[in-house]
Every structure is written in C-alpha cells, then in structure tokens.
Amino acid sequence: MGKFDGQQVGYIDGARRNVPGLDALHRMTGLLLAEHVPPNGRVLVVGAGGGLELKALADQHPDWSFDGVDPSADMLELARETAASAADRIVLHHGDVGAAPAGPFDGAVCLLVFHHISVEERKATLNGVRQRLRPGSPFVLAHLSFAMSEPDHTLWVNRHIKFGAMGELDADKQEAARIGMKERLVVMFPEEEEAHLKEAGFTGIMQFYHAFSFRGWVAYA
C-alpha cells in the first residue's frame, strides 16, 4: 500500500459525498477542454492536490500533458499517488498559480478551489491563469457559489451540510460544520464570479454546471 492510501480513500470519498456528480463534472471538463485543446496539448491544473481531476483528465485524454500546482505539499504527494498511472505526463509544482510555468498552455482547470481562498487570491489566480493561456484557450472553473443575501444564504449552507452529511452526522456535528462553513469558506454570488472572469480578460463565459450548491463555468482567454 502507498503512503497515502488511507488519506486517498478518505479524500475521494469526501469529495464524492459533498460534490453532486463529481465524476460527471470531470467528464464534462474534459469534453469542454477538448473542443479547443489539440492532440498533444498541454493543460494547467490549479489546485491539483489530491489528483482527482488530473487522473480523470489524463485517463480521458492519453495524449495530453499536465502541469499541476497546489500550495499543500501533502496534497501534492497525494496527487502523485492518485494519478500515478499518468506520472510520465504530469509535472507538479508546489505553490499557487505563480509557481506554474509561463506556458503557454492550451487549456486550464481550477475545480473546487475558489471557495477556500480570498477574493484577492481569486483575482490573482484568474489573472495568472489568463496570462499563461494561448489566446482562445478554454478555462474551466467550478466551486461553491450561491446567494449571499439572507435568508437564501443560510438556506443554501444548510442544504449543503445536509447533502454531505447523508444522514451520518448528528445535529451537533451538523451545527459545527455549518459554523465552520460560514467562518472559513468564501462563497460569492454567481454573478460576481462571472464579473471576476470578465475583469481578468476572459470572454465567452458560460455556466455549464449547476448541482445543488456548486456551479461551474467555461471561459476563454
């Protein structure tokens, strides 16, 4: 067994429990990228720790190569194990998007990351991705995004917690998760997300994914 086998199983199970249609999201991401990424294309994966999207995309497109960045060294090691079958086509970099090569890349992905970082970090990430893409290249972005005004905000937080709990968390643990989510995560209106993409210079912005509390967009450099 690998060093991260237990953590790998826990991470994968947690992601699939909390993100509706995660495998379908990965498949849709590959399809959207493939509309513009050429054979032997090069794709940037921002927030590659864990390696789920790296493995999914590498399995879908065996001719593509990937550069992945993540600020967590432990999560990068987990990504190495998760996507080990495509190790010869993946280069991992420790850090934020600034640690990524200059490119140019034929496409980019950032999944389930933005709700963990500040607005300023989001804007810097979008600008960093945009600068590294060839003109017209696709960028796929997906994370938590729902109304911030009350009572809708609390309603969606509660829905998210109940969906992920799957009946396995008691009331006290659900309340702790609810408080942690409100204190730690940065969630924004979908309209704000699209405005940030436009501000960074992306065009052709389209929402392609909406699953409960998660949304996803494809945009072009």
Side-chain angles (χ1 to χ4, degrees), residues 8 11 26 31 35 60 86-87 114 131 139 142 155 169 194:
Q8 180 187 37
Y11 174 76
H26 290 155
L31 289 170
E35 291 176 350
Q60 290 176 47
F114 271 27
Q131 292 165 7
F139 173 47
L155 177 62
L169 297 182
E194 295 181 11

Side-chain angles (χ1 to χ4, degrees), residues 5-205:
D5 281 350
Q7 184 180 348
Q8 180 187 37
V9 171
Y11 174 76
I12 291 172
D13 287 349
R16 289 190 172 135
R17 183 176 63 249
N18 285 288
V19 185
L22 180 62
D23 291 334
L25 173 60
H26 290 155
R27 183 167 176 242
M28 287 185 282
T29 296
L31 289 170
L32 290 167
L33 291 174
E35 291 176 350
H36 295 272
V37 176
N40 302 315
R42 187 182 180 197
V43 174
L44 173 64
V45 179
V46 178
L52 290 179
E53 58 266 64
L54 276 171
K55 175 172 173 48
L57 293 172
D59 287 348
Q60 290 176 47
H61 300 283
D63 294 329
W64 291 359
S65 62
F66 304 87
D67 282 81
V69 295
D70 198 281
S72 169
D74 284 345
M75 290 300 286
L76 282 179
E77 286 303 311
L78 181 57
R80 291 185 205 281
E81 186 165 307
T82 302
S85 60
D88 59 329
R89 294 185 284 128
I90 297 171
V91 179
L92 298 176
H93 310 270
H94 184 209
D96 58 19
V97 69
F105 290 91
D106 300 299
V109 175
C110 184
L111 303 182
L112 313 181
V113 172
F114 271 27
H115 51 257
H116 292 295
I117 62 178
S118 69
V119 174
E120 292 73 19
E121 290 174 301
R122 292 177 188 223
K123 291 183 176 181
T125 300
L126 291 174
N127 288 327
V129 170
R130 171 67 182 81
Q131 292 165 7
R132 288 167 170 78
L133 286 174
R134 298 183 192 277
S137 296
F139 173 47
V140 177
L141 177 70
H143 49 265
L144 285 170
S145 178
F146 48 80
M148 293 300 294
S149 54
E150 295 294 357
D152 289 343
H153 179 63
T154 294
L155 177 62
W156 276 109
V157 169
N158 290 340
R159 286 170 172 170
H160 177 85
I161 296 299
K162 288 178 180 178
F163 182 86
M166 297 178 63
E168 297 177 3
L169 297 182
D170 60 29
D172 288 342
K173 289 181 179 178
Q174 286 192 38
E175 180 60 21
R178 189 175 297 112
I179 292 170
M181 185 174 176
K182 285 193 169 186
E183 289 180 349
R184 293 194 301 270
L185 300 186
V186 181
V187 181
M188 302 180 67
F189 284 107
E191 295 81 4
E192 292 179 293
E193 306 280 4
E194 295 181 11
H196 288 164
L197 283 163
K198 290 178 183 176
E199 184 180 331
F202 288 97
T203 60
I205 301 162

